[in-house]
Amino acid sequence: MIQIPDDLLPADGRFGSGPAKVRPEALDYLAMRGDILGTSHRQAPVRDLVRSVQESLAELYRLPDGYEVVLGNGGSTLFWDMAVSSLIEHRSAHGVFGEFSRKFATASARAPHLGDPVVSESAPGGIAVPEPVDGVDTYAWAQNETSTGAAAPVRRVGDGLVLIDATSSAGGMDADIAETDVYYFAPQKNFSSDGGLWLALASPAAIERAERIKASGRWIPGILDFSAAVTNSRQHQTLNTPALATLLLLEDQLAWLHELGGMQAVAERCATSTGILYDWAEDRDVAAPFVQDPAHRSPVVATLDLDESVDAKQVIATLRANGIVDVDPYRALQRNQLRVGCFASVDPDDVQALTACLDYVIERM
């Protein structure tokens, strides 16, 4: 196995696309606040923690008047089922350009109480945003497709609700929340937290839609009832016991993001990291950015195709043996590819070091 010299290695070799690197300082904070773990989520200490997270998110994204920070048990996968149960009234339209945007469209297609969804699809490496369609009341796509490293604009479409999957973009890419009705995410990427929760920045229209659907008599399981999540969130709690470690890590990460300078500074930091990788790939004969249109390249997840003369699996294995981990491509793409998470906690200097390690390994294969 190739041994990479110590002076080339990054200080931290974690480049996963989720779960993402957790800062050591956040773990120290978790230990310091450990007295909250194992206590009631209905009492003041935990509710104050939830309130802190809600207020920090509202500040980070300059939340428009009337919008609320809603949270609940589960993750983004559960939220797709919640949207199908509690937010889509009759029919949805989806932009599909990767595995995760496809999963939401699939969830909608399986719902017996909804009409068949309208799907606008792009091959992996491109983007797709749905167009206005008569009879559609909900439009959905991902701001950043984690599986392919492609990023799409966030803007209003048609007259219905706009639901944006921001799991890999929130906390690393900016967005005008007023252009959305539900901007939802799980916190294990840019927010360097753990799983077990979903969070959403919700408009008055989305909240009213959920209340109206519930009042119509539609059967909605309690865990998938968005209006119930809103009611609990207004009390700074969740329907069932939340993942407290996730909330504590999220609270610390939000404080750190504000210290960096807020959303604009964080977005620039992430874009600097992915820019290093895209420039490296474009300057090498053996590599190329997977997403061909620079305007659609993700600023938080860089996907790089390697020439067939270079075995990506061997490169990945060599990097892992040297402490550089989780640069594997998304399995379903089946490409000779690297996928590098450049979320907020990843230091751009470590990304620069990664490119030096790639040169060293590839030259010796």
Side-chain angles (χ1 to χ4, degrees):
M1 184 67 70
I2 298 169
Q3 183 70 39
I4 301 174
D6 288 346
D7 61 345
L8 292 183
L9 293 171
D12 194 306
R14 291 175 290 175
F15 296 100
S17 294
K21 172 187 171 184
V22 178
R23 297 164 31 256
E25 296 85 354
L27 297 178
D28 293 341
Y29 182 75
L30 178 62
M32 183 180 71
R33 298 289 305 278
D35 59 307
I36 287 182
L37 300 177
T39 67
S40 173
H41 63 293
R42 306 296 184 196
Q43 299 303 314
V46 174
R47 292 172 67 182
D48 288 345
L49 169 61
V50 173
R51 186 202 311 270
S52 171
V53 167
Q54 290 172 305
E55 291 175 350
S56 290
L57 279 171
E59 180 182 355
L60 187 70
Y61 272 100
R62 310 166 304 279
L63 209 62
D65 290 343
Y67 279 65
E68 300 184 36
V69 179
V70 184
L71 70 163
N73 310 98
S76 298
T77 301
L78 181 140
F79 192 87
W80 297 326
D81 289 332
M82 174 174 279
V84 166
S85 298
S86 203
L87 289 168
I88 302 172
E89 196 157 16
H90 301 293
R91 195 182 188 200
S92 57
H94 299 259
V96 172
F97 53 104
E99 290 302 306
F100 296 99
S101 47
R102 182 184 308 282
K103 288 179 179 180
F104 190 2
T106 300
S108 180
R110 291 174 175 169
H113 58 282
L114 298 177
D116 291 338
V118 179
V119 177
S120 303
E121 185 166 359
S122 169
I127 66 166
V129 175
E131 297 292 332
V133 178
D134 290 342
V136 164
D137 56 71
T138 305
Y139 296 87
W141 67 96
Q143 183 179 18
N144 188 78
E145 178 53 71
T146 319
S147 67
T148 66
V154 173
R155 56 178 173 80
R156 288 219 166 264
V157 173
D159 297 325
L161 298 183
V162 172
L163 277 53
I164 299 296
D165 182 346
T167 292
S168 60
S169 56
M173 295 174 64
D174 205 354
D176 181 356
I177 301 304
E179 291 292 306
T180 75
D181 291 291
V182 184
Y183 186 83
Y184 66 93
F185 51 91
Q188 70 268 25
K189 312 259 182 175
N190 286 292
F191 292 115
S192 292
S193 190
D194 216 342
L197 290 174
W198 59 263
L199 299 102
L201 312 180
S203 73
I207 294 170
E208 188 276 332
R209 169 79 65 81
E211 291 172 346
R212 187 171 70 248
I213 289 175
K214 184 175 183 177
S216 72
R218 178 187 293 179
W219 180 75
I220 304 173
I223 196 68
L224 303 181
D225 185 347
F226 189 72
S227 61
V230 171
T231 298
N232 277 281
S233 296
R234 288 170 176 169
Q235 301 173 62
H236 314 298
Q237 59 188 23
T238 51
L239 179 65
N240 298 318
T241 305
L244 295 184
T246 298
L247 284 168
L248 287 166
L249 291 171
L250 176 55
E251 181 185 45
D252 182 77
Q253 183 77 353
L254 281 164
W256 182 70
L257 296 180
H258 285 296
E259 289 174 6
L260 287 179
M263 196 63 253
Q264 181 176 350
V266 176
E268 290 173 357
R269 174 184 170 92
C270 293
T272 295
S273 292
T274 50
I276 291 168
L277 290 164
Y278 295 136
D279 289 345
W280 175 85
E282 289 181 325
D283 289 342
R284 302 296 185 278
D285 292 334
V286 295
F290 173 50
V291 179
Q292 295 185 4
D293 187 340
H296 298 159
R297 290 175 189 164
S298 167
V300 291
V301 176
T303 46
L304 311 174
D305 277 345
L306 297 183
D307 185 78
E308 60 182 14
S309 64
V310 179
D311 186 342
K313 290 182 179 179
Q314 186 177 347
V315 172
I316 292 165
T318 302
L319 292 175
R320 178 169 285 277
N322 284 270
I324 300 171
V325 301
D326 298 341
V327 296
D328 311 65
Y330 192 73
R331 58 192 178 276
L333 288 182
Q334 299 183 337
R335 296 185 69 88
N336 194 52
Q337 186 178 86
L338 305 176
R339 181 176 58 147
V340 184
C342 295
F343 299 123
S345 292
V346 174
D347 192 319
D349 288 343
D350 283 341
V351 178
Q352 190 69 61
L354 171 61
T355 62
C357 292
L358 287 169
D359 283 334
Y360 188 88
V361 170
I362 291 171
E363 287 171 3
R364 286 159 178 76
M365 288 179 60

